[in-house]
Amino acid sequence: MAVYILSEGSGPGSLVPPHLTRIPISLLSPGINCTNKTVKGKVIHKGPLVRVEADDFILKTVIKEDDAMESVCSQKTSINIVIFGALAESFSHRVSTGDVVLLSGFTVGKSPTANKDKLHPCNLLLSGDDACVYVSKQKPPHPRSPLVSKRSSLISAEGSRMVKAPKYTYVRLDELKNESVVNVYGVVVFFKQPFKSRGTDYCSSLKITDQSEHKVGCTIFCERLEDHPKIFHTGDIVRMHRVKVKIYNNSLTLVNTSGFSVVTFHGTVGGAVEPRTSSKTFHFDEDDRRTVEELRSWAASQTLLPSVSAAVPLSAVQPSAYFDLTCQLLAKATVDTTCTLLRVWDGTRCPHPLLKVIVDPNVTEGPSSFSKQKESLIANVLVYDNHVEFARQLKPGAFLRIYNLRAILGSTKVPGLTCSQPVEVGHLAFHLHGGTSYGRGIRVLPENSPDVQEVKRVMEEFLQEQDDEFPELNDSELVWSTPPEFLDGEAVDCQTVKTCRHQLQPVTLSQVKQSDAGQVHHVRVQLRSYEPHRLHQALKLFCSRCTSIQDIPDDELVAAIFSEASKCSEAYSPPPWALSGHVDLAGDTSGAQQLSRSVHISTKLMTEGKTDQLIFLMGCTLEETCHLAATYQNIVPVSSSGGQLALLDLSVPFLFRGRKRYYGCKRCSEAALREPSTEGMQMIDEKIIAEALGVQLLQLVLLMKLELQDATDTLDVFLWKHAGHWVRGWVQPGQVTTPS
DNA sequence: GTTTAGGATTGG
């Protein structure tokens, strides 16, 4: 996830990975496969940055496709974009109206405002790690100025458009001067994944070289793991800014200094120049691209450099050898305090029999059993000591590279839980020994990395073969990559097989349909389909009075209603029980003018000293309301209507409590502004406020629809409340299941 | 604005 600012003349194409293909905005429709797709357009509207939590943001923008592809003239070429999280914050700071952006890693939704704004019927949602914005600055925001701040790399990256960029110079590795602070490029010949130092930071150790053939060791200390070089292979290219040359043991070394930043590239000649960095913006121009490509081809010609990778698939593992393994984590189990078992596969079959490790399902995260076919491909990896802590953070489903793994013929005893089982002589076990020698460690690889793509391809081949050979298995666990989830603090079981304990005789679906309501049945059926496919879409609002279920209103819609209400400036008289005043919209540091909004509070609450426990807030946008929700425990948005104060339409939350929003049922509420009675109450909660306001409170529930079939009929089944949660974890379309 | 580590395997 990043906003990449591209420098002058490079156009938004130069950093964009080549596997991405652009689709015209007019062709976007819900349900379209957006994997590896991009959309390009000019920013014609940029909304405010909406803070939804301390560290979470939403921003809405509109882009218009304004190049040749517009020939489809009657089509909608302007589209709403909703950006979430840190990317929204970054976008807000880095992108201006008029810039041309290229977006990737988005999903397509239905635009709730299409009727109103007449824009594209869809909107694009950008969130998560895959979302990227490539920005091409179109106009200098200020006239040419010599006073460009050089405070940080971020500014100079932006500045690259304002002034002729304060161009970085890179020092060759044979020209390093002791005590100087330099920028360097190099090819990685050795590296260790970051490991915890005895001090406050993680430490990365690497060695790089360049055309000068000098090899220089580098030591990087950073507190945050993401700020470390993202090195996956020897042969990767790194660019480091602001490293200091020091002497250790008569050799020059490089150590990071303040303002340090690093970008890493894959080392394959001809491969995509895809930057890996935690820097939200960075300078990158044609010269940089050329440097990367020159280093790649130089390295390829050097026979003395370590082979590009020690990577070996399970199918080529030699007993006793050390190697790097790229694999997917399927399950893990704690063995003891110094040892954790990782169950992994890479889709290939190891020619040696693999050690079987029996572990207690209670200490296993992820499925505790797999199909026989798949089980035969799974390698048991025992990781020790310092790697245990890192393994703790791994989630089943993740793609990993394990460095300096050792294949050991199973004559050694497996520790902990497995000590009672007979030792399987001649079976291969895999050990990641303690320490960091030879770069020992584990790294999570991003899903889009070429290595992961390759492993996935091999896995899919295997799955296809299984499907052809044993179609009856239709092994659902094979597509599983959902870690166990939590609901109300309790872990939810994600097992592939559930055993029904009911004693009922199964009946057919046609028998179910013919029988009277209210009976309990037991059926054996096939799942034809289910919806929604995304768990968050299963979250609905439920009215316990009229038993209606509705969708949670889209934020765009909620924001629009707030915005309409905030423009209304009709005269009104506040209710007699209310005291009126103003609240400042703090936090707006742009400084121009301090905004304030009208608020009303209950006189009673005021006299009880509970002034900040409940406010009735007028004329605020959704963004402002969320902002104030950090300060005031309960906020009821109001507007003037017919000379009186009234609640907003119940399409929007009637109450904001911190991060939580509460909705009322339109059908069952008789909403009116009344003073809540809170005498003797310690805490004002949503129930008290809803009751006072005549609002029928809606509850959040999970709802899923399953379409079942057997030989006799089909049946739609609704699962709701907590039931909707587990079903997604273990049932896939096509699988036979036995609900009751 | 300090410190950390400073490649180099035998070990369950």
Side-chain angles (χ1 to χ4, degrees):
Chain A
M1 176 208 72
V3 174
Y4 298 122
I5 307 288
L6 307 162
S7 44
E8 191 160 18
S10 55
S14 70
L15 263 190
V16 180
H19 66 275
L20 299 179
T21 51
R22 180 175 160 200
I23 41 174
I25 288 177
S26 57
L27 296 186
L28 290 168
S29 62
I32 196 170
N33 178 7
C34 318
T35 320
N36 300 332
K37 295 289 190 302
T38 64
V39 156
K40 185 179 158 190
K42 182 188 271 187
V43 176
I44 56 171
H45 167 79
K46 186 183 146 197
L49 184 65
V50 181
R51 184 190 292 266
V52 287
E53 275 176 51
D55 224 11
D56 195 11
F57 302 88
I58 295 186
L59 183 143
K60 193 174 147 181
T61 183
V62 180
I63 67 165
K64 180 171 171 31
E65 193 165 64
D66 60 355
D67 58 11
M69 288 175 119
E70 202 179 0
S71 54
V72 248
C73 54
S74 65
Q75 304 300 326
K76 302 286 188 185
T77 54
S78 296
I79 187 163
N80 280 299
I81 317 284
V82 187
I83 309 174
F84 298 86
L87 187 63
E89 191 187 12
S90 189
F91 188 97
S92 167
H93 295 143
R94 309 290 167 211
V95 180
S96 320
T97 309
D99 291 347
V100 172
V101 291
L102 193 117
L103 314 173
S104 68
F106 50 81
T107 57
V108 181
K110 201 162 156 267
S111 171
T113 51
N115 279 336
K116 200 179 281 178
D117 58 27
K118 306 288 180 232
L119 301 183
H120 199 288
C122 298
N123 59 12
L124 299 185
L125 309 173
L126 278 123
S127 69
D129 290 344
D130 291 340
C132 268
V133 179
Y134 300 86
V135 189
S136 188
K137 292 286 192 184
Q138 291 305 292
K139 274 176 274 167
H142 301 295
R144 205 169 256 263
S145 151
L147 295 172
V148 169
S149 162
K150 291 165 91 173
R151 235 166 13 109
S152 76
S153 63
L154 302 184
I155 300 212
S156 52
E158 274 192 324
S160 67
R161 290 299 308 161
M162 299 186 206
V163 198
K164 207 66 189 155
K167 180 91 174 94
Y168 288 92
T169 52
Y170 296 92
V171 178
R172 270 178 49 136
L173 299 178
D174 56 345
E175 287 169 352
L176 299 172
K177 298 276 177 297
N178 191 25
E179 292 297 303
S180 61
V181 174
V182 295
N183 304 320
V184 294
Y185 260 104
V187 181
V188 176
V189 293
F190 170 78
F191 67 102
K192 283 182 180 186
Q193 294 302 336
F195 57 92
K196 199 101 191 94
S197 74
R198 281 174 230 268
T200 57
D201 298 330
Y202 284 93
C203 174
S204 285
S205 186
L206 53 145
K207 189 173 272 180
I208 59 172
T209 187
D210 66 7
Q211 290 90 338
S212 72
E213 298 192 17
H214 281 237
K215 291 194 174 78
V216 180
C218 315
T219 306
I220 308 299
F221 296 108
C222 293
E223 207 162 354
R224 298 179 346 136
L225 274 174
E226 58 266 39
D227 295 336
H228 282 259
K230 296 179 200 306
I231 302 170
F232 302 151
H233 283 288
T234 53
D236 281 354
I237 313 289
V238 288
R239 184 189 81 176
M240 292 186 280
H241 284 175
R242 288 163 290 265
V243 282
K244 186 165 183 177
V245 183
K246 294 188 176 178
I247 291 194
Y248 175 76
N249 271 351
N250 297 322
S251 306
L252 295 176
T253 62
L254 297 169
V255 181
N256 58 315
T257 63
S258 73
F260 165 78
S261 72
V262 58
V263 186
T264 310
F265 302 89
H266 201 282
T268 310
V269 175
V273 182
E274 254 180 283
R276 307 196 284 253
T277 179
S278 69
S279 304
K280 295 223 172 84
T281 55
F282 56 92
H283 180 96
F284 192 85
D285 62 18
E286 264 316 304
D287 288 344
D288 290 281
R289 167 182 287 278
R290 195 173 335 114
T291 308
V292 170
E293 280 167 359
E294 281 169 4
L295 279 168
R296 281 175 170 179
S297 34
W298 171 78
S301 70
Q302 296 300 299
T303 47
L304 290 176
L305 289 186
S307 63
V308 164
S309 158
V312 169
L314 286 173
S315 58
V317 163
Q318 297 294 325
S320 299
Y322 290 94
F323 66 105
D324 296 346
L325 179 66
T326 307
C327 57
Q328 186 183 31
L329 179 65
L330 294 171
K332 58 174 190 171
T334 302
V335 174
D336 59 39
T337 53
T338 67
C339 181
T340 293
L341 171 71
L342 301 182
R343 309 205 70 212
V344 304
W345 75 318
D346 68 358
T348 71
R349 184 178 299 280
C350 180
H352 306 269
L354 297 171
L355 182 79
K356 290 181 188 54
V357 180
I358 302 157
V359 287
D360 181 354
N362 291 325
V363 298
T364 304
E365 188 177 323
S368 49
S369 68
F370 297 88
S371 72
K372 208 173 155 201
Q373 283 71 27
K374 190 171 180 184
E375 194 74 45
S376 68
L377 299 196
I378 297 176
N380 288 305
V381 176
L382 294 159
V383 310
Y384 290 96
D385 305 338
N386 52 318
H387 309 299
V388 167
E389 191 190 332
F390 190 83
R392 210 193 322 270
Q393 292 155 33
L394 299 174
K395 292 274 170 258
F399 287 88
L400 310 176
R401 174 162 289 144
I402 306 178
Y403 298 91
N404 197 233
L405 188 58
R406 190 168 196 212
I408 295 187
L409 276 177
S411 53
T412 40
K413 208 174 84 171
V414 178
L417 295 164
T418 54
C419 57
S420 57
Q421 70 190 94
V423 171
E424 298 174 295
V425 179
H427 285 58
L428 271 192
F430 297 90
H431 292 229
L432 183 68
H433 295 299
T436 63
S437 313
Y438 282 85
R440 251 178 224 160
I442 306 177
R443 162 132 226 153
V444 176
L445 295 178
E447 297 246 348
N448 62 0
S449 85
D451 305 295
V452 171
Q453 294 300 320
E454 174 58 16
V455 165
K456 276 187 170 174
R457 194 188 57 72
V458 175
M459 288 171 177
E460 268 154 29
E461 245 169 50
F462 166 80
L463 300 183
Q464 195 53 54
E465 275 169 35
Q466 291 305 300
D467 232 22
D468 296 346
E469 222 170 312
F470 310 97
E472 75 281 2
L473 283 178
N474 214 332
D475 195 348
S476 71
E477 101 224 346
L478 300 170
V479 291
W480 159 90
S481 69
T482 314
E485 300 186 62
F486 288 82
L487 199 66
D488 293 343
E490 275 175 48
V492 176
D493 239 358
C494 273
Q495 288 174 281
T496 16
V497 179
K498 292 239 173 190
T499 310
C500 178
R501 293 189 188 85
H502 296 126
Q503 297 302 312
L504 292 169
Q505 210 41 41
V507 294
T508 65
L509 287 182
S510 81
Q511 287 172 301
V512 172
K513 280 192 167 177
Q514 283 158 23
S515 56
D516 297 330
Q519 296 186 42
V520 176
H521 300 285
H522 198 170
V523 294
R524 183 168 171 79
V525 294
Q526 188 174 42
L527 178 66
R528 275 179 74 171
S529 66
Y530 67 87
E531 55 186 327
H533 284 266
R534 303 184 62 162
L535 191 59
H536 74 268
Q537 293 166 335
L539 206 53
K540 309 282 180 193
L541 293 168
F542 170 67
C543 177
S544 57
R545 186 176 296 176
C546 68
T547 68
S548 64
I549 291 181
Q550 62 178 83
D551 285 323
I552 295 174
D554 184 282
D555 243 15
E556 254 189 69
L557 181 78
V558 173
I561 293 174
F562 268 80
S563 155
E564 276 308 303
S566 72
K567 285 178 199 144
C568 167
S569 56
E570 201 183 303
Y572 66 96
S573 47
W577 49 264
L579 285 169
S580 305
H582 288 90
V583 62
D584 287 333
L585 295 172
D588 181 8
T589 48
S590 60
Q593 78 260 43
Q594 188 73 339
L595 295 170
S596 68
R597 297 283 182 254
S598 301
V599 291
H600 306 279
I601 56 172
S602 144
T603 316
K604 249 192 273 173
L605 281 178
M606 169 107 168
T607 54
E608 290 170 31
K610 299 176 186 162
T611 315
D612 57 357
Q613 288 204 5
L614 171 64
I615 64 170
F616 298 91
L617 179 64
M618 270 201 82
C620 271
T621 63
L622 177 62
E623 178 194 8
E624 291 160 354
T625 309
C626 293
H627 199 98
L628 289 169
T631 313
Y632 296 91
Q633 289 177 21
N634 294 286
I635 298 180
V636 175
V638 293
S639 66
S640 57
S641 165
Q644 301 287 313
L645 270 191
L647 297 183
L648 300 193
D649 186 277
L650 284 177
S651 307
V652 303
F654 74 94
L655 171 66
F656 289 73
R657 303 194 73 210
R659 286 159 46 192
K660 289 192 181 167
R661 303 175 185 185
Y662 294 90
Y663 293 85
C665 178
K666 282 190 187 180
R667 201 184 308 176
C668 303
S669 302
E670 289 170 31
L673 214 58
R674 297 185 203 96
E675 185 174 31
S677 166
T678 59
E679 232 168 311
M681 307 227 180
Q682 284 295 313
M683 251 263 293
I684 306 180
D685 65 13
E686 66 278 6
K687 292 196 187 88
I688 294 167
I689 296 170
E691 199 183 326
L693 301 175
V695 170
Q696 175 64 36
L697 199 58
L698 295 177
Q699 296 167 266
L700 284 171
V701 292
L702 288 162
L703 181 71
M704 292 197 85
K705 180 181 152 188
L706 310 182
E707 196 188 352
L708 307 180
Q709 69 175 9
D710 66 6
T712 65
D713 212 335
T714 66
L715 184 67
D716 286 344
V717 173
F718 292 90
L719 288 174
W720 75 307
K721 288 195 174 166
H722 293 185
H725 203 80
W726 50 260
V727 93
R728 181 173 164 271
W730 60 280
V731 185
Q732 293 293 328
Q735 190 182 5
V736 172
T737 179
T738 316
S740 52

